[in-house]
Amino acid sequence: MADLSRRALLTGGAIVLAGGMIYAAGGRNLFYSAITEASEAVHIDPPTAHQQAVAGDILLVDIRRPDEWARTGSGEGATRLDMRREDFVDALLTLTGGETALPVALICARGVRSARLSNQLAAAGFSNIIDVPEGMQGSRAGPGWLKRGLPVVR
């Protein structure tokens, strides 16, 4: 019985410690920081992405999965292109007319995948990649497309 109580106490303490570490350093979510890749891409917020996409100033690409598009819709003005496609770079080149300097903004759910893909596209020769780090659902960067009440297409 003493072993069980001791084990429960140690397990509970570990959970509390882990939870505290997640929100250490001035309220920053360290877990999110650890999984989010640093990106050299320019960052814009969802209202700016929406405005520029609708105006035709950028190509806004929703890189999430089809089941995510079905759940929330995509931002108005966005083109859907699942980043898991083996031919993603070729498909994106088709959308840009082969222009690697065309401004391409990437949006995902919470900014993790868009940051990673920004770096991969820069390595593939794209020179004008823009990240929307708030994503559709919000992140530490901000509330996101949906909570901002921006229009979506289902």
Side-chain angles (χ1 to χ4, degrees):
M1 185 71 166
D3 265 349
L4 181 59
S5 296
R6 186 173 166 188
R7 189 174 316 151
L9 180 63
L10 289 173
T11 302
I15 291 170
V16 169
L17 179 62
M21 289 178 67
I22 288 174
Y23 286 98
R28 285 187 39 213
N29 184 320
L30 296 180
F31 175 73
Y32 180 82
S33 296
I35 64 171
T36 303
E37 191 169 311
S39 168
E40 296 298 319
V42 172
H43 292 179
I44 60 174
D45 61 16
T48 303
H50 175 246
Q51 175 190 17
Q52 291 181 3
V54 171
D57 296 332
I58 62 171
L59 173 64
L60 177 61
V61 182
D62 186 337
I63 62 170
R64 299 176 300 149
R65 299 182 315 266
D67 62 299
E68 293 174 286
W69 302 328
R71 269 196 307 274
T72 65
S74 292
E76 179 185 54
T79 299
R80 295 174 175 177
L81 185 59
D82 186 342
M83 71 176 282
R84 299 172 307 156
R85 287 178 54 165
E86 287 185 27
D87 68 337
F88 180 88
V89 172
D90 291 333
L92 184 58
L93 281 168
T94 298
L95 291 173
T96 66
E99 294 293 324
T100 57
L102 189 82
V104 175
L106 305 175
I107 190 166
C108 62
R110 299 191 184 278
V112 175
R113 290 173 283 181
S114 61
R116 287 186 184 142
L117 189 57
S118 294
N119 292 335
Q120 292 171 7
L121 291 175
F126 286 85
S127 60
N128 201 353
I129 300 298
I130 303 162
D131 187 10
V132 185
E134 290 182 35
M136 290 296 289
Q137 298 178 333
S139 70
R140 68 178 179 171
W145 192 287
L146 298 172
K147 287 184 184 168
R148 287 178 180 270
L150 295 168
V152 296
V153 176
R154 299 230 174 233

